[in-house]
Amino acid sequence: MTNTLPKIHLIACGGTIVSSGDDALQMTGYRIKDFSVDALLAAVPQLGRYARIEAEEAARIDSMSMTSEVWKKLGAAIERAAADPDVTGIVVTHGTDTMEETAWFMHLTAKTDKPIVFTGAMRPATALSADGPLNLLNAVRIAADPRAKGRGVLLALNDVILSARDAMKTNPTNVMAFSGVNQGPIGLVAGDEIVWLGRPERPHGVETPFTLKTFSRPRHLPRVDILYSHADDDGVLVRAAVAAGAEAIVHAGTGNGSIHAETEKALAEAAAGNVFVIRASRVPDGCVTPGLAEWQEKGYVPSGTLSPQKARILAILVLLTFGWSPEKMKEAFETY
Ligand code: ASP
């Protein structure tokens, strides 16, 4: 008898979901050892009730050490899977530390309306009440759900479905590690049911001009640094970023993307030298507005509702796609 269940392509990137501790009570301070994606799949035989799974490994790293090289490899694997007419949806297992960055990059560049669902775990595979197996099962169920189509890249952990645009890791140890900043969950897993609540408002995937091809072409990506503001901030790190060749600086300012008076001088010099200054905020929620007239005159671009780490990715994609274009940079932050 032929298996008519949907085919889900799983791409593993590492992270806690494939990490193991010394015993069942070790919840932190572990590393990836030899637990593989095959062992993960074997630990959840119930997956076979929902889908035919084919798996590949794009990386086996802790995601705090994520690189754009892995994004290229993962993006290519997603493109191949999306092009296979037999594949219904794609699941990516990934460390939670930078999951929101990789997912946001794919949300902007993956040219498919097939579901792409990121998941991971906060507890290692060996832990008491490990969260990886159920997160994986739910991610597969979501990726196989025809209603997930066209919603862009999703994060599914702890029974909550978030859009890659708004997901942010907001707790370093709890299984409820992610929040949907500004836009809350766009879906839930409730027992057997997947309950959909919304769609990302902004263009993504096929609706953007950003492509994996453009990203993969250059040997060196434009350097974009994130600088985090604080009391006694000065311009030293801004000048260091410019000296290191930064083409844009994401300034994670206080409040509404505000800038320390000392740092302001260095940012103004940077902007005068055609380094983009993106005004983001240390504050996770809300929207950074254009602010002071003098900032606008200098061409500083407000990050809107994007976190500094997501603003950095958008700035890189704009630089690669359009070169030095203040209009395109401003437009991108208003649009995506
Ligand atoms: N250290 C992990 C990582 O790879 C954390 C996790 O996966 O939850 O991001």
Side-chain angles (χ1 to χ4, degrees):
M1 208 177 79
T2 48
N3 187 337
T4 54
L5 288 172
K7 182 156 125 188
I8 299 298
H9 190 82
L10 185 144
I11 310 167
C13 297
T16 294
I17 195 163
V18 289
S19 295
S20 37
D22 293 335
D23 63 43
L25 295 186
Q26 186 173 3
M27 303 283 176
T28 64
Y30 48 82
R31 283 232 185 242
I32 295 182
K33 290 182 203 139
D34 48 10
F35 197 85
S36 68
V37 61
D38 295 331
L40 177 66
L41 290 172
V44 197
Q46 297 83 352
L47 287 168
R49 290 192 208 161
Y50 297 98
R52 291 173 288 145
I53 312 272
E54 59 178 22
E56 67 175 298
E57 197 167 65
R60 196 187 294 189
I61 58 168
D62 283 308
S63 79
M64 59 288 235
S65 304
M66 188 48 60
T67 65
S68 43
E69 286 309 308
V70 174
W71 290 352
K72 289 176 194 172
K73 213 171 152 198
L74 174 62
I78 289 175
E79 272 188 358
R80 277 193 305 274
D84 178 348
D86 205 23
V87 168
T88 299
I90 298 160
V91 169
V92 179
T93 55
H94 192 290
T96 58
D97 284 356
T98 58
M99 186 184 287
E100 71 210 51
E101 291 182 53
T102 306
W104 169 235
F105 173 77
M106 299 303 161
H107 187 71
L108 289 172
T109 57
K111 303 299 174 206
T112 180
D113 68 351
K114 290 185 183 178
I116 303 172
V117 186
F118 276 64
T119 195
M122 291 300 288
R123 296 179 182 146
T126 43
L128 196 65
S129 296
D131 52 336
L134 187 55
N135 280 347
L136 177 62
L137 186 86
N138 284 339
V140 166
R141 290 176 55 209
I142 294 161
D145 183 345
R147 297 171 301 165
K149 247 180 133 177
R151 290 183 205 254
V153 175
L154 304 169
L155 274 73
L157 298 101
N158 206 35
D159 290 351
V160 172
I161 308 170
L162 301 169
S163 165
R165 188 183 189 283
D166 298 290
M168 180 187 264
K169 190 172 187 182
T170 49
N171 191 304
T173 56
N174 198 289
V175 289
M176 188 62 196
F178 285 87
S179 307
V181 173
N182 289 314
Q183 181 174 21
I186 65 167
L188 300 170
V189 180
D192 283 350
E193 281 181 52
I194 298 168
V195 182
W196 290 102
L197 301 170
R199 295 179 169 274
E201 174 70 19
R202 305 239 180 167
H204 54 83
V206 291
E207 302 153 351
T208 82
F210 309 122
T211 64
L212 184 68
K213 202 164 158 209
T214 309
F215 186 79
S216 300
R217 211 177 290 133
R219 293 225 321 210
H220 299 291
L221 293 176
R223 184 181 178 98
V224 178
D225 288 307
I226 300 175
L227 302 179
Y228 198 97
S229 188
H230 50 84
D232 291 333
D233 197 3
D234 56 26
V236 168
L237 291 183
V238 174
R239 293 191 177 99
V242 173
E247 293 181 41
I249 291 172
V250 178
H251 179 258
T254 48
N256 185 16
S258 297
I259 304 168
H260 196 291
E262 290 305 310
T263 309
E264 172 67 48
K265 294 174 201 153
L267 283 176
E269 285 163 25
N274 286 355
V275 175
F276 282 109
V277 173
I278 316 292
R279 286 179 39 251
S281 178
R282 313 188 312 184
V283 181
D285 247 317
C287 180
V288 174
T289 69
L292 295 175
E294 62 197 66
W295 291 338
Q296 296 175 52
E297 278 151 25
K298 286 176 195 149
Y300 299 175
V301 179
S303 70
T305 52
L306 286 180
S307 65
Q309 54 273 31
K310 287 191 184 158
R312 174 179 176 271
I313 292 167
L314 182 58
I316 292 172
L317 288 171
V318 172
L319 280 160
L320 283 172
T321 310
F322 302 111
W324 197 85
S325 168
E327 297 75 31
K328 291 288 184 190
M329 189 63 85
K330 189 167 167 283
E331 186 188 297
F333 277 88
E334 287 163 358
T335 309
Y336 301 106

